[in-house]
Amino acid sequence: AQSVTQLGSHVSVSEGALVLLRCNYSSSVPPYLFWYVQYPNQGLQLLLKYTTGATLVKGINGFEAEFKKSETSFHLTKPSAHMSDAAEYFCAVRTAAGNKLTFGGGTRVLVKP
Amino acid sequence: DTAVSQTPKYLVTQMGNDKSIKCEQNLGHDTMYWYKQDSKKFLKIMFSYNNKELIINETVPNRFSPKSPDKAHLNLHINSLELGDSAVYFCASSHQGANTGELFFGEGSRLTVL
């Protein structure tokens, strides 16, 4: 079985400050890892993904995440927050052979001017 | 062009009624999903179909019945609606053969049961 834990249901950052969203996963086999973003009243959009290869992955809108197998983590960062980054962020995991994408509980990001 | 489209976007109905939500994807994917997002934003998979065949059926009341007439469509019918069914239902699709498993989501259908 696989699971995802996102530490912190709400994160508040100032515009221009670092955004750090934490994600830890549990999987018995090598995982595929994803970060999705959900803007208000919209569906989920893929920010970035890790499957194999380079452990630091870059996504859209200046976000990046690093897969750390030893820590079973896939934290999401952005060096400088923008007002438009205010949204709900979801970490998700699936296995290479699996059909199911399992989501964490989500982290709401608030950006203060 | 909308890749994954759901209708209706909003649905308000009384307890005990039956309602359906439709989903269509034009991405050429072979796998489609229904996810439920509750009021706390928690996302949980309900069903998945691959080429019209049910492959994931989570612990969902049998009042919920998915139907996939072809691989581009996956509908969700709900009988005898209850207050606890109020949620946002998301349809998604993916290509099972791809090695990334990325899901593409619709914009959601917000169901409110009164």
Side-chain angles (χ1 to χ4, degrees):
Chain A
Q2 56 202 31
S3 65
V4 180
T5 301
Q6 291 182 239
L7 188 62
S9 58
H10 292 80
V11 167
S12 182
V13 298
S14 297
E15 195 173 16
L18 171 73
V19 180
L20 169 61
L21 305 182
R22 299 180 188 274
C23 172
N24 288 90
Y25 69 90
S26 170
S27 176
S28 57
V29 296
Y32 289 171
L33 295 158
F34 305 80
W35 276 100
Y36 281 83
V37 60
Q38 184 181 25
Y39 298 104
N41 298 314
Q42 293 189 26
L44 282 76
Q45 300 174 36
L46 183 70
L47 270 180
L48 48 78
K49 61 191 174 192
Y50 168 79
T51 54
T52 58
T55 56
L56 181 64
V57 292
K58 295 186 186 298
I60 61 171
N61 301 339
F63 283 93
E64 64 181 36
E66 186 170 13
F67 169 58
K68 292 188 176 180
K69 185 178 177 181
S70 61
E71 298 177 8
T72 60
S73 70
F74 190 56
H75 302 331
L76 180 73
T77 60
K78 181 173 179 176
S80 177
H82 190 272
M83 296 299 291
S84 61
D85 295 326
E88 191 91 22
Y89 292 79
F90 292 91
C91 182
V93 63
R94 60 158 279 184
T95 61
N99 295 307
K100 189 165 68 172
L101 194 63
T102 300
F103 286 88
T107 299
R108 175 163 290 183
V109 172
L110 172 66
V111 182
K112 297 177 292 186
Chain B
D1 284 346
T2 303
V4 181
S5 59
Q6 302 177 221
T7 54
K9 192 167 182 178
Y10 298 97
L11 194 52
V12 180
T13 189
Q14 300 286 332
M15 269 176 31
N17 284 350
D18 304 338
K19 291 294 178 187
S20 292
I21 307 171
K22 296 186 176 183
C23 179
E24 175 181 4
Q25 55 94 3
N26 63 5
L27 297 168
H29 290 161
D30 55 8
T31 305
M32 296 184 73
Y33 309 80
W34 278 111
Y35 277 82
K36 179 180 180 180
Q37 186 174 47
D38 63 23
S39 59
K40 295 183 178 178
K41 301 290 188 182
F42 186 71
L43 275 159
K44 184 170 169 52
I45 190 167
M46 300 172 70
F47 303 103
S48 176
Y49 273 74
N50 175 257
N51 284 321
K52 303 191 297 176
E53 185 178 335
L54 182 66
I55 56 172
I56 294 175
N57 186 355
E58 294 291 290
T59 307
V60 176
N62 58 14
R63 299 181 294 104
F64 290 78
S65 51
K67 281 192 172 50
S68 182
D70 56 61
K71 69 177 186 178
H73 295 83
L74 179 62
N75 304 323
L76 182 66
H77 187 75
I78 316 170
N79 290 325
S80 304
L81 279 156
E82 301 177 357
L83 293 176
D85 298 332
S86 295
V88 182
Y89 293 85
F90 285 100
C91 178
S93 71
S94 71
H95 181 50
Q96 189 176 7
N99 61 4
T100 62
E102 173 186 348
L103 267 62
F104 293 78
F105 284 82
E107 294 200 341
S109 296
R110 182 177 294 273
L111 171 65
T112 302
V113 182
L114 303 175

